[in-house]
Structures are given as C-alpha cells and as structure tokens.
Amino acid sequence: MSTRADRLVELLAGAAADAILVTNPVNVRYLTGFTGSSAIALIGPDMRVFATDFRYVEQAAKELDASFDRVGPSQDRLEAIADALPAGDTRLGFEEAHLSVREHARLRERLPDRIELDGLHGLVENLRAIKAPEEVAAIRAAAELADEAFARIISHGLVGHRERELAIALEFEMRRLGADRPSFEPIVATGPHGALPHARPRDVEITSGELVVIDWGAQLGGYCSDCTRTLAAGSVNGHGAEIHQLVLDAQIKGVQAIAAGAAGREVDAVARHVIDSRGHGERFGHGLGHGVGLEVHEDPRLAQRSDAVLEPGNVVTVEPGVYLPGELGVRIEDLVVVTGSGREILSGLAKELTVID
Ligand code: ZN
Ligand code: ZN
C-alpha cells in the first residue's frame, strides 16, 4: 500500500522536482500524522525527514508516521533539513503559498549552491482533495456531531434569543459533544443581517417573522464539517418563504449535478441558472461550494472560474444563497461526497423551511 508521502513523490516527477520541503502545518499533518502546529517535512524518493522544535518532541514521538526520520530538535529547523539533503545537484521544491519571503531567504542562505529552490503550488492540496474512506468517515462523524449540536440548540427556540447567545451555545454544544473546536466561528444572522454572507453574530434579539441564517461546523479528529440552514422564527413575513424555496430548488439541482467527471463550473452553473432564471442572479455573489477536509475551505471549488473536475472521494459543499440587502438572506448548505456512482449527502438535517418559535 502506498502512503500519502509515496503519492506525493509521484507528483514530484511531474513538477520536475527531486524533493519537496513541506511547511504548511496542515499538509505536514496530512503526510506525517503529526498534529502539532510547528513542524516541517522533507520528502523525496528516498527521503522522509521530519523536524520540529523542542516543545513537540514527545508529541512527535507518539504521532509521527514510522516511515519518517526525525531530525533535531534544533534551534534552526531549516539547518537540520539542509543537512538531510542528498549530495549532488538537487531541485528542491517548496510550498510557495506557505513559505514567507524571510524564510525563503534564510533557507537560501543555509543551502549549498547545488540546491536549486523551486516554488510549487498545491501538490499536497491536490492529494488532500481526494479523501480516503477513513477521511470520509471522519468528516461524516464531524457532520453528525454538528447536526446533533444544532438540533439541541434549536430545541430551545429562536424568538427572543440573541444571535451571539445562539452562536456561543452552538460552539459550546459542539465542544461538549466532543468536537476539537468549531470549524469556524458560527454565523447566526437574522432578518436583514442575513444578507451579509459572512455576518458576525450580534448582540441582537431574534424577533418573530424573521428568517435566521445559521452556518456552522465542527472539527473532529482534525476533520471539518460545514452546513447552513435558514430557519423561520415564528412565522415568515414578506417573500421570505418564496426566496427560501428558490434557494432550495437551486440547492437540490446543484446537489443532483454532483458526479465524478462533472466540472466544478458546470455544477455551479446548474444551481446558478435556477436563481438567474427567477431574476436573482445578481443576488448570488459567491461560488456554489468548496472542498472540506482538514481545512474547512479547500479544493476542489465549485465556482464560475473553477478548473476542477470532480472525482470520487471529493467532499464538497453545495451552498447557494440569495441576499437581498436591507431585507433578508437565505443560504442552504449541504456537505456532499462524490462517489463512484453519484453522490452522498453527509448533512442530515431537513432543508425545507422550518418554523421555530
Ligand atoms: Zn458554511
Ligand atoms: Zn461553506
């Protein structure tokens, strides 16, 4: 069985690199099993080197994949890594999105001239986009935990509660149920505030007749979930129910378009067309969805400019929204895994407009 590092080495050939220095902590975790926040890994055909600092030596001893050699701890991890490089001319790739200009300069200083540094983009992220069965299971468990926390919080009602209070309660409930942490700070946005896709919960009471957008997720065993439901507090005023139905229609169409071989931009277009055709295209200003895994936003993207083509093992959100400034917002988001025969929804909560007092 090939390890994740073995698969990364296969990609290195295509990137014309002999080895890669991995500095993104999430990628280090994915490749080595080490969950601490400070470590780097050097990976090549015959090279599995890991370096952390003294704070993490014990943790690394417990967690590190056995195929890796630990070097250090050293005051200077880059130096420890440099010592591990093979003799001869070497093209060493680095993660250009995860090495600062200063670190790059320090690295260059410490390496002999025979080592050429090449910026690489998205190699480990491409591997991470396709989840192994145990990763899908971890995401499923995170989604179930988040669903359970939501159900518990909502059972206490909406009207008269404050956005901030609900967001904190949701966070607390997820942690109480065993989550590492929330995947991100929950969004609870009521009435006109729901028209801000990234609204911050306010110290404002939810009143009857408003729509309430709740976007939340749990991180469990490192893996994230992400879900949004838009609920009606009390009854619904204005054309909230109509907009909710429109977003739901788009969401369901979007989910149905998820399949291995489908392009990210096609799936986006299917959902966007539903909203466009009823005159609200301008009010859906973000992409349809994103990959979810060790990070809550990762590849592949479902968006108008996405170059992604879906593959079995991708886990993506489908989250169309319509945002009417000054009036209301509706977003409905499910977490979906691409399978060999289609798709499976990991979010278990009802999507129809639910009235909660
Ligand atoms: Zn979300
Ligand atoms: Zn999302």
Side-chain angles (χ1 to χ4, degrees):
M1 209 188 86
S2 76
T3 67
R4 292 167 178 179
D6 293 339
R7 292 203 299 280
L8 178 60
V9 167
E10 286 166 25
L11 297 182
L12 283 180
D18 300 311
I20 181 170
L21 177 63
V22 180
T23 50
N24 174 358
V26 181
N27 289 345
V28 171
R29 175 181 187 153
Y30 178 78
L31 294 163
T32 71
F34 175 71
T35 63
S37 57
S38 173
I40 55 180
L42 178 65
I43 293 171
D46 303 306
M47 225 186 315
R48 302 283 187 278
V49 179
F50 171 93
T52 185
D53 63 51
F54 72 96
R55 294 170 299 169
Y56 291 109
V57 171
E58 269 186 57
Q59 187 181 344
K62 278 196 204 113
E63 295 179 340
L64 192 65
D65 182 288
S67 64
F68 279 83
D69 296 323
R70 266 187 295 143
V71 296
S74 156
Q75 287 296 86
D76 187 340
R77 286 181 319 203
L78 294 178
E79 201 142 295
I81 286 288
D83 291 343
L85 282 164
D89 291 348
T90 303
R91 291 168 73 101
L92 175 62
F94 64 91
E95 298 187 288
E96 62 179 14
H98 301 283
L99 194 72
S100 70
V101 172
R102 198 165 83 115
E103 288 165 333
H104 182 272
R106 283 181 49 215
L107 184 61
R108 183 64 276 174
E109 243 169 56
R110 279 159 183 72
L111 295 177
D113 288 344
R114 63 183 175 78
I115 310 287
E116 184 185 321
L117 282 175
D118 271 332
L120 300 178
H121 188 74
L123 250 54
V124 185
E125 285 79 359
N126 285 345
L127 290 178
R128 280 171 44 199
I130 298 173
K131 272 73 183 174
E134 67 272 17
E135 295 183 283
V136 174
I139 296 168
R140 184 193 310 276
E144 285 172 1
L145 186 153
D147 282 358
E148 173 65 21
F150 180 87
R152 289 189 187 186
I153 296 311
I154 294 312
S155 72
H156 303 299
L158 289 176
V159 178
H161 295 269
R162 290 166 186 275
E163 289 179 357
R164 242 174 73 77
E165 170 204 334
L166 288 176
I168 291 166
L170 201 44
E171 249 188 82
F172 181 77
E173 198 59 36
M174 287 192 283
R175 285 185 185 267
R176 218 168 61 90
L177 288 167
D180 310 338
R181 61 184 69 84
S183 306
F184 53 92
E185 284 183 33
I187 293 169
V188 179
T190 179
H193 206 56
L196 280 63
H198 279 169
R200 293 198 69 126
R202 303 163 300 169
D203 206 17
V204 164
E205 243 178 49
I206 295 169
T207 58
S208 187
E210 291 180 320
L211 289 179
V212 184
V213 180
I214 304 180
D215 189 349
W216 80 107
Q219 192 173 16
L220 177 63
Y223 283 86
C224 296
S225 75
D226 189 7
C227 183
T228 307
R229 290 294 181 264
T230 301
L231 305 169
S235 55
V236 218
N237 293 335
H239 62 325
E242 185 193 317
I243 298 292
H244 189 280
Q245 189 59 50
L246 168 59
V247 173
L248 182 56
D249 290 347
Q251 206 271 347
I252 290 169
K253 281 270 170 24
V255 169
Q256 286 168 348
I258 298 269
R265 60 175 70 196
E266 283 166 21
V267 179
D268 178 280
V270 166
R272 196 169 297 279
H273 175 73
V274 175
I275 293 173
D276 251 342
S277 68
R278 287 189 236 167
H280 287 295
E282 301 272 286
R283 303 299 181 201
F284 173 26
H286 56 74
L288 181 67
H290 53 87
V292 175
L294 289 170
E295 289 180 291
V296 73
H297 292 109
E298 54 180 59
D299 292 332
R301 313 279 160 167
L302 308 178
Q304 284 169 297
R305 288 161 195 240
S306 169
D307 292 322
V309 174
L310 294 178
E311 292 182 62
N314 286 153
V315 175
V316 293
T317 68
V318 178
E319 51 177 309
V322 169
Y323 308 94
L324 307 180
E327 192 185 350
L328 59 82
V330 174
R331 182 169 62 257
I332 302 170
E333 173 178 31
D334 277 338
L335 201 49
V336 182
V337 53
V338 182
T339 66
S341 56
R343 72 213 65 84
E344 187 197 344
I345 300 181
L346 300 179
S347 311
L349 298 164
K351 292 188 275 196
E352 292 70 31
L353 185 57
T354 307
V355 177
I356 310 271
D357 285 325

